[in-house]
């Protein structure tokens, strides 16, 4: 008897479930109506695809995106799932064949668009079969509170009534509580179960950097992503056209996409991107809805997005295959002013909402201290509590020293007070810097004692300081004009001359570490990718339908030499092995022969679902004699991540082998090492900061992490 787990492996070639896939599948199989909310790339499709292979009767999938159906059906078929669709893109002959296969039960999975549900032919077809599972994809479309309401989704309620025995599975990536409730009540879920996966996308590296020379910065970024796919978002159509043309001239493979282009051109450009014929799409935000391209390796925001939600959705289009992807936002204040200007032309609620959205994205962009994931996930009602995500610019930045900013802080806070707590940061800064602008003169603020005492810092630096003071809780912003008020904490600080530590913004930020990409053989990857492209073009499907990038990356990292080993690669199930196994094996073998490379064994570790336990496995393997370097290759993560796992392992009370391997990870002299160990013995190993300070801030946090581990292992 096949189980969900065996189907996952044999049919789809995956070792473990993503979060909540198993729970959703089990609920569906138990006949309970289920609502599943997962971020893009979370793996919603498997939640009905696996049950469809286990249930007696048909699984119907209602999805609004006809354009995607064809690819999805192809994808299912290459994996050996009997899936069909019925829609207007089929020839009458194909339509008839598909009808027949649904009727005689040879098709287990049927994709339909909502508007066709009640056409005569479909209606009569559905009355002849047994419906086991009704799946509603993009289920938020049923709710008027959603951002994408579709009236035709309302008909789904009637379908439910006609098939009271069919289980219903609603899936979406949009998660507001109101929409959730609406979906359940519209669909008359009685005793339902709800699963909400985390919206954190661990594989996305998130970076915001000041935009100085947008084009130059974009080009040097793209040079690091040679031959890889990605999206560049711009604010205006004109910008899109210009940038796309410029990139093309510079020899990049790029095409534009925006609503001003002819329909045909738009479609062709999108298709070229999905099929890997072109690497880069330069687009307005119109691009992305309803395209399923799992291997976008980067998303650049060339201009500031209008809201955090939009931004998160856009960067979410990178790395849907779960491999690392890089998201870069180029930020500068003139973009903010431009958007403010647009907003100033609006009125009423619309204006207020747009201002709030803009303030939020500005705050997010200017935050140089907190993990980027915190504010992003907070938007989806999630609290991100890890200290260091290791995949955002702020978390991977060299620890920046805090300096004494008491004096400028006092100047700023007093000026807020003197101007009556009735103005925003811009005006306060003008007063501090001794501006003679109209507003300053109108209020007579040139007569204040704080007038002109702040010439030592630039306007930008004052604005930055103001935001820091807000984040530290000294100031509070309120109202449409972001009026600043002192908090009791600020009054107290002024009164007691409390020392305040923080940062004064430098003109340019230090260059930041970019995480290593995966450790795999790029030359072999290029060969396999080429092969995949040939096969895809022959079959006239997008490349990912054959194999995902992840599969090719694993092949180029482990060099499988037999079909048995190929089967261990992520995404290789029985059907794909039969169809493509030999073809790829031949390429790999011939490459390995001419380069004298041997197979590396893949130990299939359980990916995400067991991620919380990975430190245990890493710790045990380390104790069994594996080097840190080997472990980092095996898990395809940075050595720093392995060190963190070991810290967790040791902190949980497991003895850790004290090897020379640890010492090799640091460049500290024996004396420095001894000092650090002593400091850890004195101050404990829970926090790094006290030790950092005790050692006069001379030893980097990276080195301290290693030293902590050595201390723990002794
Ligand atoms: P969603 O519809 O939620 O955006 P998909 O169903 O398209 O996500 O899945 C995204 C990608 O992740 C696909 O390439 C899919 O094959 C892959 N995937 C899904 N589940 C798993 C899993 N358990 N292990 C590995 N890859 C998976
Ligand atoms: Zn972070």
């Amino acid at each position: 008897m096949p189980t969900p787990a065996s189907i996952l492996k044999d049919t789809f070639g995956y070792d473990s479930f993503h979060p909540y896939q198993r729970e959703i599948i089990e609920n569906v199989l138990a006949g309970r109506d289920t609502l599943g909310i997962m971020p893009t790339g979370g793996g919603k499709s498997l939640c009905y695809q696996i049950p469809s292979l286990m249930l007696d009767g048909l699984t119907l999938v209602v999805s609004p995106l006809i354009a995607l159906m064809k690819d999805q059906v192809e994808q299912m078929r290459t994996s050996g799932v009997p899936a069909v669709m019925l829609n207007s893109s089929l020839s009458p002959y194909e339509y008839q064949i598909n009808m027949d296969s649904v009727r005689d039960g040879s098709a287990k999975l049927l994709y339909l668009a909502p508007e066709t549900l009640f056409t005569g032919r479909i209606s009569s077809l559905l009355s002849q079969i047994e419906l086991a599972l009704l799946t509603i994809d993009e289920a938020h479309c049923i709710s008027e509170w959603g951002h994408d309401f579709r009236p035709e989704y309302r008909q789904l309620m009637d379908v439910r009534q006609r098939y009271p025995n069919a289980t219903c599975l609603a899936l979406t990536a949009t998660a507001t509580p109101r929409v959730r409730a609406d979906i359940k009540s519209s669909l008359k879920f009685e005793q339902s179960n709800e699963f909400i996966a985390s919206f954190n996308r661990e594989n996305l590296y998130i970076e915001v950097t000041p935009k100085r020379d947008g084009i130059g910065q974009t080009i040097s970024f793209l040079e690091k992503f040679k031959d890889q796919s990605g999206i560049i978002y711009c604010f205006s159509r004109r910008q899109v056209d210009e940038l796309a043309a410029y990139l093309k001239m510079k020899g990049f493979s790029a095409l534009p996409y925006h609503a001003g282009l002819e329909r045909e051109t738009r479609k062709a450009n999108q298709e070229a991107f999905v099929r890997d014929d072109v690497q880069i799409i330069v687009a307005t935000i119109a691009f992305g809805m309803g395209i399923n391209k799992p291997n976008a390796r980067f998303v650049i925001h060339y201009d500031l997005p209008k809201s955090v939600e939009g931004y998160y959705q856009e960067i979410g289009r990178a790395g849907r295959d779960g491999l690392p992807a890089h998201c870069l936002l180029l930020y500068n204040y003139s973009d903010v002013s431009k958007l403010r200007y647009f907003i100033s032309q609006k009125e009423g609620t619309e204006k207020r909402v747009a201002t709030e959205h803009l303030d939020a994205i500005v705050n997010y962009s200017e935050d140089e201290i907190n993990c980027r994931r915190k504010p992003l996930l907070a938007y989806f009602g999630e609290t991100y509590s890890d200290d260091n995500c290791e995949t955002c610019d702020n978390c991977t930045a060299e620890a920046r020293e805090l300096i004494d900013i008491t004096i400028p802080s006092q100047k700023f806070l007093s000026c807020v007070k003197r101007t009556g707590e009735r103005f925003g940061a811009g005006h306060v800064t003008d007063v501090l810097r001794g501006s003679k602008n109209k507003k300053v003169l109108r209020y007579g603020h040139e007569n204040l004692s704080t007038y002109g005492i702040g010439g030592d810092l630039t306007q930008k630096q004052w604005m930055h300081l103001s935001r820091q003071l807000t984040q530290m809780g000294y100031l509070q912003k309120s109202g449409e004009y972001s009026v600043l008020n002192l908090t009791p904490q600020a009054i107290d600080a002024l009164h007691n001359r409390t020392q305040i530590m923080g940062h004064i913004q430098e003109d340019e930020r230090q260059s930041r570490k970019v995480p290593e990409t995966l450790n795999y053989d790029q030359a072999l990857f290029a060969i396999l990718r080429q092969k995949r492209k040939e096969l895809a073009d022959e079959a006239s499907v997008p490349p990912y339908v054959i194999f995902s990038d992840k599969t090719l990356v694993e092949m180029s990292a482990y060099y499988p030499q037999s079909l048995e080993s190929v089967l261990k690669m992520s995404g290789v199930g029985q059907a794909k092995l039969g169809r493509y196994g030999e073809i790829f094996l031949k390429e790999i073998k011939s490459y390995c022969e001419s380069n004298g490379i041997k197979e590396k064994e893949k130990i299939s570790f359980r990916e995400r679902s067991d991620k919380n336990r990975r430190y245990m496995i890493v710790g045990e393997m380390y104790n069994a004699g594996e080097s840190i370097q080997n472990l980092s290759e095996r898990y395809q993560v940075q050595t720093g991540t392995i060190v963190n796992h070991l810290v967790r392992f040791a902190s949980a009370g497991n003895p850790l082998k004290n090897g020379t391997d640890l010492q090799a990870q640091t460049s500290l002299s024996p004396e420095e090492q001894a000092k650090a160990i002593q400091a850890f013995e004195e101050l404990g190993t829970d926090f790094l900061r006290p030790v950092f300070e005790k050692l006069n801030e001379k030893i980097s946090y990276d080195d301290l992490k290693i030293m902590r581990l050595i201390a723990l292992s002794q």
Side-chain angles (χ1 to χ4, degrees):
M1 224 358 224
T3 60
S6 71
I7 295 177
L8 180 73
K9 179 70 201 153
D10 298 340
T11 304
F12 296 96
Y14 300 132
D15 288 330
S16 58
F17 285 107
H18 284 178
Y20 295 115
Q21 282 179 327
R22 178 196 296 278
E23 289 82 351
I24 292 174
I25 291 168
E26 281 170 0
N27 261 271
V28 165
L29 292 174
R32 282 192 286 266
D33 292 337
T34 306
L35 171 62
I37 297 167
M38 288 183 179
T40 310
K44 287 185 275 299
S45 324
L46 280 189
C47 297
Y48 56 82
Q49 287 161 352
I50 289 182
S52 78
L53 292 170
M54 303 180 70
L55 292 165
D56 291 330
L58 182 75
T59 292
L60 175 61
V61 183
V62 177
S63 161
L65 305 167
I66 299 189
L68 284 185
M69 273 184 202
K70 180 165 168 283
D71 291 345
Q72 261 179 335
V73 168
E74 288 296 340
Q75 220 175 348
M76 285 302 91
R77 291 203 180 154
T78 52
S79 295
V81 179
V84 297
M85 61 178 180
L86 287 170
N87 63 33
S88 53
S89 73
L90 299 173
S91 71
Y93 177 69
E94 289 168 319
Y95 200 99
Q96 195 52 49
I97 298 216
N98 287 355
M99 290 276 279
D100 291 345
S101 67
V102 172
R103 208 175 284 123
D104 68 23
S106 54
K108 298 287 294 172
L109 192 56
L110 168 63
Y111 287 86
L112 281 182
E115 59 274 15
T116 58
L117 276 173
F118 284 87
T119 58
R121 277 205 286 184
I122 301 286
S123 227
S124 95
L125 173 70
L126 291 181
S127 62
Q128 295 168 47
I129 50 110
E130 191 203 337
L131 184 64
L133 175 61
L134 170 64
T135 303
I136 301 168
D137 205 6
E138 312 286 343
H140 60 276
C141 295
I142 206 168
S143 166
E144 276 164 311
W145 299 112
H147 57 80
D148 196 15
F149 171 59
R150 301 191 186 215
E152 61 279 13
Y153 258 63
R154 289 279 166 194
Q155 303 189 341
L156 288 167
M157 302 176 197
D158 302 331
V159 181
R160 277 229 78 188
Q161 268 156 11
R162 272 176 54 184
Y163 298 92
N165 294 328
T167 310
C168 186
L169 169 62
L171 295 167
T172 171
T174 296
T176 70
R178 186 172 214 175
V179 174
R180 261 182 258 156
D182 211 16
I183 294 173
K184 290 195 292 183
S185 73
S186 306
L187 291 170
K188 305 231 160 30
F189 279 15
E190 277 166 14
Q191 177 208 32
S192 67
N193 290 295
E194 197 172 296
F195 297 96
I196 305 173
S198 166
F199 272 66
N200 185 19
R201 300 275 311 279
E202 287 172 351
N203 59 320
L204 301 185
Y205 183 85
I206 307 175
E207 178 181 9
V208 181
T209 200
K211 176 155 89 181
R212 294 177 296 273
D213 154 28
I215 297 223
Q217 286 170 291
T218 303
I219 295 218
S220 55
F221 180 91
L222 294 177
E223 272 161 1
K224 289 185 285 191
F225 286 83
K226 279 244 154 60
D227 294 329
Q228 308 216 347
S229 302
I231 308 171
I232 305 178
Y233 284 111
C234 299
F235 182 68
S236 68
R237 296 176 186 181
R238 206 191 70 204
Q239 181 78 304
V240 165
D241 288 332
E242 282 175 10
L243 187 59
Y246 185 80
L247 291 177
K248 237 191 220 161
M249 188 192 82
K250 284 283 178 187
F252 290 94
S253 160
L255 284 175
Y257 186 102
H258 57 71
L261 295 171
E262 294 284 331
R263 229 180 97 93
E264 286 309 307
T265 315
R266 256 189 356 237
K267 208 171 140 210
N269 290 2
Q270 166 168 334
E271 188 85 355
F273 181 62
V274 171
R275 308 219 155 186
D276 278 353
D277 289 327
V278 68
Q279 304 298 341
I280 302 165
I281 280 281
V282 186
T284 52
I285 48 170
F287 183 76
M289 265 298 287
I291 75 153
N292 178 4
K293 182 176 169 66
N295 65 338
R297 292 273 71 84
F298 59 86
V299 165
I300 301 178
H301 279 89
Y302 191 83
D303 295 306
L304 187 69
K306 292 196 199 90
S307 71
V308 174
E309 287 101 314
Y311 167 71
Y312 199 64
Q313 202 164 50
E314 282 142 30
I315 65 174
R317 292 178 186 137
R320 291 180 62 159
D321 52 14
L323 294 178
H326 197 125
C327 311
L328 174 70
L329 191 167
L330 295 170
Y331 173 85
N332 70 9
Y333 210 78
S334 69
D335 284 350
V336 180
S337 312
K338 203 163 62 186
L339 286 175
R340 284 227 195 276
Y341 175 74
F342 277 109
I343 292 174
S344 71
Q345 325 251 305
K346 303 183 186 221
E347 276 171 23
T349 320
E350 201 190 347
K351 183 171 175 180
R352 210 179 57 235
V353 170
T355 308
E356 275 171 21
H357 281 312
L358 182 60
D359 287 344
I361 189 84
V362 168
N363 275 340
Y364 164 81
S365 307
E366 294 184 339
D367 188 337
E368 296 176 10
I369 300 162
N370 297 302
C371 174
R372 301 267 177 220
R373 291 189 150 69
K374 289 194 170 134
L376 288 179
L377 291 171
Y379 257 85
F380 299 94
E382 224 177 298
T383 320
Y384 185 78
S385 50
D386 276 12
D387 282 347
N388 189 313
C389 78
E390 294 176 34
T391 40
C392 80
D393 51 0
N394 287 345
C395 286
T396 53
E398 303 290 339
R400 272 206 304 155
E401 263 178 62
L402 294 175
I403 57 167
D404 186 330
I405 55 165
T406 313
I407 302 283
S409 302
Q410 284 173 348
K411 286 183 183 173
F412 195 88
L413 296 174
S414 332
C415 193
V416 170
K417 184 148 181 61
R418 300 263 177 240
T419 49
E421 303 184 55
R422 287 168 52 212
F423 300 91
H427 181 72
V428 175
T429 298
D430 285 344
V431 174
L432 279 168
R433 290 182 37 81
S435 160
K436 292 195 171 59
N437 75 21
K438 265 203 219 134
K439 194 168 167 190
V440 171
L441 302 179
R442 173 149 46 104
Y443 288 99
H445 285 166
E446 75 278 19
N447 301 319
L448 295 177
S449 60
T450 51
Y451 181 76
I453 60 169
D456 47 340
L457 296 183
T458 64
Q459 155 115 29
K460 268 192 183 163
Q461 287 172 321
W462 281 118
M463 296 297 279
H464 175 253
L465 181 77
S466 156
R467 287 188 300 271
Q468 245 180 110
L469 291 171
T470 310
Q471 274 170 9
M472 291 195 269
Y474 292 102
L475 290 171
Q476 231 166 19
K477 270 197 246 177
S478 61
E480 191 182 333
Y481 300 103
S482 298
V483 167
L484 293 175
N485 292 292
L486 300 187
T487 62
Q489 181 187 340
I491 295 166
D492 192 62
L494 282 175
H495 189 74
N496 296 320
R497 297 170 201 273
T498 316
Q499 189 187 35
I500 301 177
M501 303 293 284
H503 301 293
I504 296 294
Q505 188 177 43
E506 288 159 29
D507 281 346
E508 285 194 13
R509 280 217 251 171
Q510 308 148 329
S511 73
R512 304 199 143 168
K513 275 192 290 181
V514 175
E516 304 152 21
T517 37
L518 286 175
N519 229 329
Y520 62 92
D521 188 324
Q522 311 239 352
L524 176 56
F525 182 80
I527 294 172
L528 299 179
R529 190 175 138 117
Q530 179 55 36
K531 190 81 220 166
R532 175 178 71 177
K533 179 75 181 134
E534 280 167 27
L535 294 168
D537 287 348
E538 261 167 43
S540 153
V541 294
Y544 68 82
V545 166
I546 313 251
F547 279 133
S548 71
D549 275 18
K550 178 151 190 184
T551 307
L552 302 193
V553 162
E554 291 206 353
M555 289 176 171
S556 325
Y558 299 114
Y559 308 103
Q561 301 291 309
S562 62
L563 284 177
E564 205 187 349
S565 302
V566 171
L567 192 58
K568 285 192 189 157
M569 303 298 107
S570 169
V572 184
Q574 293 294 346
K576 285 197 183 178
L577 184 76
R579 210 178 282 202
Y580 304 116
E582 289 287 1
I583 303 176
F584 281 81
L585 185 60
K586 193 167 143 233
E587 300 287 333
I588 301 168
K589 275 179 140 168
S590 99
Y591 177 84
C592 289
E593 259 160 46
S594 38
N595 292 287
I597 296 172
K598 282 212 224 73
E599 175 166 349
K600 284 194 195 169
E601 193 194 351
K602 179 182 173 190
I603 297 187
S604 80
F605 60 92
R606 301 239 162 131
E607 280 164 302
R608 307 182 191 203
S609 54
D610 265 4
K611 204 168 165 225
N612 290 337
R613 282 196 50 245
R614 190 180 300 168
Y615 71 97
M616 287 298 296
I617 303 172
V618 167
E620 279 160 17
M621 296 212 314
Y622 177 81
N623 278 346
E626 285 258 5
S627 72
I628 291 180
Q629 190 58 39
N630 270 350
L631 286 166
S632 96
E633 278 167 20
R634 165 160 294 163
Y635 285 111
Q636 307 210 321
V637 295
Q638 303 171 44
T639 51
T641 306
I642 296 294
V643 169
N644 287 343
H645 284 314
L646 294 179
V647 170
R648 220 172 138 190
F649 179 75
S651 312
N654 301 295
L656 194 68
K657 188 190 62 161
N658 178 17
T660 47
D661 197 29
L662 284 177
Q663 258 102 19
Q665 300 294 319
T666 151
S667 53
L668 296 180
S669 70
E671 278 153 38
E672 285 171 314
Q673 292 197 20
K675 271 195 203 153
I677 297 280
Q678 202 188 346
F680 276 115
E681 276 167 8
E682 260 171 52
L683 299 165
T685 51
D686 286 347
F687 299 103
L688 292 177
R689 175 147 217 121
V691 177
F692 180 69
E693 281 166 4
K694 166 130 185 133
L695 301 172
N696 301 324
E697 311 191 350
K698 288 224 180 72
I699 296 185
S700 75
Y701 276 101
D702 280 345
D703 279 323
L704 282 182
K705 281 188 189 167
I706 313 249
M707 291 318 301
R708 167 163 70 182
L709 202 50
I710 297 178
L712 281 166
S713 73
Q714 287 182 351

